[in-house]
Amino acid sequence: MISNFIIHQQAQKYQWSGDCFLSVKSFYGDKADYQVKQREYQVDQTNFLVLNECTKYRLNIDSAKETESFCVFFSPEFVSDVVSGLNATDEQLLDLNVKQHQGIKLFERNYHHSGKVSELLKIGRKKSNLGMDELEKDEFYYQLLNAILLQNNTTLLDTHRLTSKKKATREELYQRVLFVKDFIDCNYHKNLRLQELANIALLSENHLLRNFNQIFGVTPFQYISNKRIQEAKRQLLETDKTIKEITFDIGYSSLGNFSNYFKNIVGQSPSELRKGDM
């Protein structure tokens, strides 16, 4: 029987395509690009990606520096055991002969690093470098999968922000809007149009705008602006690029527009932020 496993390695260039177990992907140092059908995901030190069993994907790392991967894969038998345990009664759990084989389909999405899953990924990554004994590794797998399932339940609760009455409709709408959010995360530096985003979600422009706002509390334009400014802050503090270079890197065509948006969101100008960090 194939067991759970961890891939923890570093590379500047790497490509792979295929499918595998239910998994969580995290990367550090630089980014990894995932192509899943028509969807794009960019995974770096700010987020982690959850993909279901048998989801076909293409992974590409193309970086000037070493990119560290820490990816955890859960076997179908292990997932079934954990999910069955969560759904079973105490009486059923006491009877080891009773096995209820259950799989699960999670929301496939990028999550920003926060909460229990991120905490466990950080711990697992550190301990993997030092070496984990088998019991410690067993416990880690159970703790991480339970945290991922809890995170997925939180996402299910988020679908209730949508006004549709049917549960299946809410979940489908939520997933489609997530596709748009993940597309923006990979392409925020481009000149995106609402029609293009609506086509990705297979929704009308008005329908996308309303549902995006209900889920994330902002419009797509506001989300893109915040994403650009967060990336600008990172580059200002972590790189030697000029403010003009950063302006064009993140998708602004005018230094004046960038400076105005930056000050409105951050509360100080780009040059003031950089000077304050010196």
Side-chain angles (χ1 to χ4, degrees):
M1 182 178 69
I2 301 176
S3 302
N4 306 327
F5 63 93
I6 294 170
I7 294 179
H8 189 191
Q9 58 190 25
Q10 293 188 347
Q12 289 179 292
K13 312 286 183 183
Y14 184 77
Q15 289 185 331
W16 189 87
S17 61
D19 60 61
C20 200
F21 297 162
L22 170 66
S23 58
V24 55
K25 327 282 193 182
S26 62
F27 291 84
Y28 309 87
D30 209 339
K31 66 181 178 68
D33 295 309
Y34 281 83
Q35 184 82 31
V36 182
K37 296 182 180 178
Q38 302 303 314
R39 310 193 302 272
E40 298 177 12
Y41 300 98
Q42 192 174 92
V43 190
D44 57 26
Q45 60 267 20
T46 67
N47 55 24
F48 62 89
L49 174 64
V50 174
L51 293 179
N52 284 308
E53 178 191 359
C54 295
T55 291
K56 295 184 182 298
Y57 63 87
R58 181 181 297 110
L59 163 64
N60 182 59
I61 298 173
D62 187 3
S63 174
K65 59 182 180 180
E66 292 290 321
T67 300
E68 179 186 357
S69 65
F70 184 74
C71 304
V72 184
F73 298 79
F74 303 98
S75 74
E77 294 82 4
F78 180 80
V79 174
S80 176
D81 178 63
V82 173
V83 174
S84 297
L86 291 174
N87 295 330
T89 64
D90 288 341
E91 289 75 16
Q92 289 171 327
L93 290 173
L94 287 172
D95 186 355
L96 295 179
N97 293 318
V98 175
K99 285 290 183 181
Q100 297 179 340
H101 295 289
Q102 298 184 29
I104 191 169
K105 286 290 184 183
L106 305 181
F107 280 101
E108 293 186 322
R109 58 168 295 186
N110 256 337
Y111 290 94
H112 288 292
H113 270 306
S114 65
K116 190 64 175 179
V117 175
S118 296
E119 178 187 333
L120 287 167
L121 288 172
K122 181 179 179 181
I123 292 171
R125 176 185 168 213
K126 181 178 180 180
K127 289 188 174 181
S128 177
N129 283 324
L130 300 173
M132 283 192 278
D133 65 39
E134 293 306 311
L135 176 58
E136 188 176 28
K137 192 178 291 185
D138 289 341
E139 291 178 356
F140 171 73
Y141 286 132
Y142 276 105
Q143 290 168 348
L144 182 58
L145 182 54
N146 275 288
I148 291 170
L149 294 174
L150 183 60
Q151 181 83 67
N152 190 72
N153 287 341
T154 301
T155 299
L156 281 171
L157 291 175
D158 286 345
T159 65
H160 291 289
R161 298 179 186 178
L162 299 172
T163 55
S164 300
K165 293 182 179 180
K166 292 184 178 179
K167 177 176 179 289
T169 302
R170 290 198 305 270
E171 291 182 6
E172 176 64 22
L173 277 172
Y174 190 90
Q175 189 71 74
R176 291 192 191 189
V177 175
L178 275 182
F179 294 164
V180 173
K181 177 259 184 193
D182 290 325
F183 179 82
I184 291 173
D185 285 343
C186 294
N187 297 280
Y188 63 88
H189 57 287
K190 298 179 181 178
N191 184 25
L192 302 176
R193 299 295 301 273
L194 188 59
Q195 179 64 62
E196 179 182 7
L197 300 178
N199 288 342
I200 291 168
L202 299 177
L203 298 171
S204 71
E205 295 175 45
N206 188 54
H207 202 190
L208 170 64
L209 189 60
R210 183 172 72 248
N211 285 286
F212 195 100
N213 202 3
Q214 286 177 353
I215 293 172
F216 298 112
V218 292
T219 68
F221 173 76
Q222 290 168 330
Y223 183 85
I224 290 171
S225 296
N226 289 331
K227 182 78 178 176
R228 286 176 171 178
I229 297 306
Q230 291 306 311
E231 175 59 18
K233 285 176 64 178
R234 186 193 70 79
Q235 292 194 28
L236 284 165
L237 298 175
E238 298 179 11
T239 75
D240 295 325
K241 290 182 180 180
T242 67
I243 294 176
K244 185 176 182 180
E245 287 174 326
I246 294 172
T247 297
F248 294 117
D249 273 356
I250 63 174
Y252 286 103
S253 57
S254 162
L255 183 57
N257 282 342
F258 164 60
S259 296
N260 287 335
Y261 278 119
F262 191 95
K263 191 161 188 176
N264 286 337
I265 293 175
V266 180
Q268 56 186 157
S269 69
S271 57
E272 288 171 340
L273 178 72
R274 176 167 271 176
K275 287 177 182 177
D277 189 58
M278 292 179 177

